[in-house]
Amino acid sequence: MATELQARPMAREPLSKDRVLRAAVALADGGSIESLSMRKLAHELGVVPMAIYKHMANKDELLDGMVDVVIGEIDPPLTGSDWKSAVRHRILSARRALLRHPWASGVIESRRTPTPVVVEYMDSMLGMFRSGGFSVDLTHHVMHTMGSRVFGFTQELFNDPPDGDPKTQATMVREMAATYPHITELLLAISHDRGSVVGPGCDDQFEFEFALDLLLDGIERLRQQGGVQA
Amino acid sequence: MATELQARPMAREPLSKDRVLRAAVALADGGSIESLSMRKLAHELGVVPMAIYKHMANKDELLDGMVDVVIGEIDPPLTGSDWKSAVRHRILSARRALLRHPWASGVIESRRTPTPVVVEYMDSMLGMFRSGGFSVDLTHHVMHTMGSRVFGFTQELFNDPPDGDPKTQATMVREMAATYPHITELLLAISHDRGSVVGPGCDDQFEFEFALDLLLDGIERLRQQGGVQA
DNA sequence: ACCTGAACACCGTTCAAGT
DNA sequence: ACCTGAACACCGTTCAAGT
């Protein structure tokens, strides 16, 4: 009987780097990044914490691998179109990947040195500008200007979920108007567009594309002028 | 004797919210944000960890307070100048504050709901656009476009400190050129400007202002056109 | 040789016991 | 009533003991 019970180690698929990564991504997708600990991940995989360290040197390597998974979901560059729409499509594809994995932007930010996968992504992004006729110098500045947008995100400074019933919200608005007149004015304008007292916040996709296009237009103008100094 | 020893509680200045905050900022300035723990902070102040909780509800409140200290160091808005230079000066002042406290950008990012001090800062920034002739709508989009730049920082995606002697660097460059042609090209161009094989990285201040001015120019253009739809 | 439980050195925070 | 040491519920990771 004891033999019977122990004779089924086939039941648990052997651990592998890939299986660890998939479980980690799923765990982070399901909760937040704070819910991802080596111990919980091990538990999820049905192994002892130390078993993970057979496939990952440490937690940093795990996080790097998770970033690589997300970067791997970004569409390859379009070919046969102008630089602007090619870059635009790629960045919006990156954004879709990031939205599927809300924890990813924070983890990307936190990495100190990029993985080869990330470096490859940036190299190909640089290549899109270069083959669009940008000088090396301008390409450099332009990448700095895009910042984290090349990965499909910008620092959303504060995501305040407004709650409470309409009545208390109305008095809150009145109080706020005295202290923060411009913010109140803006909040009311947004809400009016949506027909609610205090709306569900901004249309992030619209704002992302608004800023992206403003940048792309400005960048195209620089390209036509032939560089920075003009 | 024992009375003597215990009779000098005056020696240690009584704890206060302000003193806790100053110690926390100093501790974070000295090391990294990771070196800031409630326990270490208590040790630094010469008190038992729990003593801090008399003045701070928890660590989040501590971090909020630290952000407020940094925001408090930003110059008030210029008066009597056009919107563009007023905004530009304010943002560059914010940047100087952030550079004095390298941990601050990360902490600002991590906050879920802004403190009154932060909201006040954003309100006054909105006010600068409004009195510059921007519509409420355009002000809204423009703030999204600026993103974390209104606080004087952008996500520096990777700060790679290149090290090693020139010889190994030279072979590294050769290997890299095969895999990452565009990055290598760019690195060499930067290094050439500085007269080193692999330079000490980018001129962050230049890049920040380059992007800032590109944005401000694009934004001014929108303002002249009278809004988004034009 | 391999695997893993216990241990180490930390966290933020609660809570009850002592003064 | 006030203060605080011990304890709780976690971490990531090391290490030695057991098979």
Side-chain angles (χ1 to χ4, degrees), chain A residues 15-58:
Chain A
L15 225 51
S16 68
K17 195 159 183 167
D18 191 67
R19 206 160 85 83
V20 171
L21 278 178
R22 275 187 287 120
V25 168
L27 213 155
D29 284 348
S32 73
I33 194 64
E34 280 134 45
S35 60
L36 178 77
S37 73
M38 297 299 265
R39 287 165 126 104
K40 274 187 204 153
L41 179 57
H43 182 80
E44 204 75 16
L45 288 161
V47 300
V48 83
M50 274 311 295
I52 295 174
Y53 287 80
K54 274 276 126 64
H55 302 91
M56 298 283 175
N58 47 39

Side-chain angles (χ1 to χ4, degrees), chain B residues 29-224:
Chain B
D29 284 348
S32 73
I33 193 66
E34 280 134 44
S35 59
L36 178 78
S37 73
M38 295 300 264
R39 286 164 126 105
K40 275 187 201 151
L41 178 58
H43 182 78
E44 205 74 17
L45 288 161
V47 300
V48 83
M50 273 312 295
I52 295 174
Y53 286 81
K54 275 275 126 66
H55 302 90
M56 297 282 174
N58 48 39
K59 195 177 182 181
D60 270 346
E61 198 171 300
L62 178 75
L63 292 172
D64 277 342
M66 292 170 71
V67 169
D68 287 356
V69 168
V70 175
I71 301 290
E73 292 180 11
I74 302 173
D75 294 334
L78 284 180
T79 51
S81 53
D82 62 309
W83 77 267
K84 204 167 154 184
S85 50
V87 167
R88 195 174 191 279
H89 273 89
R90 193 113 201 265
I91 290 179
L92 291 179
S93 167
R95 180 169 169 79
R96 285 192 298 275
L98 267 283
L99 288 176
R100 284 194 294 272
H101 308 290
W103 48 269
S105 58
V107 176
I108 290 174
E109 283 170 9
S110 75
R111 302 294 77 202
R112 316 211 64 199
T113 41
T115 64
V117 170
V118 171
V119 177
E120 216 290 309
Y121 177 78
M122 296 185 79
D123 191 78
S124 104
M125 186 69 76
L126 288 173
M128 293 170 84
F129 284 108
R130 290 291 284 126
S131 54
F134 288 75
S135 73
V136 175
D137 251 26
L138 188 53
T139 301
H140 177 209
H141 302 316
V142 149
M143 283 292 281
H144 274 278
T145 304
M146 300 298 297
S148 62
R149 243 174 285 253
V150 301
F151 288 107
F153 71 97
T154 43
Q155 188 53 47
E156 287 303 331
L157 284 176
F158 301 108
N159 355 331
D160 24 323
D163 45 57
D165 65 305
K167 203 162 190 178
T168 49
Q169 280 196 352
T171 63
M172 247 174 56
V173 166
R174 249 196 309 280
E175 281 166 24
M176 268 188 62
T179 329
Y180 313 117
H182 303 105
I183 288 177
T184 313
E185 172 187 64
L186 200 150
L187 280 178
L188 289 174
I190 296 171
S191 309
H192 185 260
D193 293 351
R194 315 281 179 84
S196 61
V197 180
V198 173
C202 309
D203 182 342
D204 289 334
Q205 185 67 27
F206 177 87
E207 300 303 343
F208 185 86
E209 295 190 33
F210 179 90
L212 178 59
D213 289 332
L214 189 141
L215 284 171
L216 293 178
D217 288 347
I219 287 165
E220 167 66 9
R221 210 169 283 119
L222 289 180
R223 191 187 65 86
Q224 282 167 6

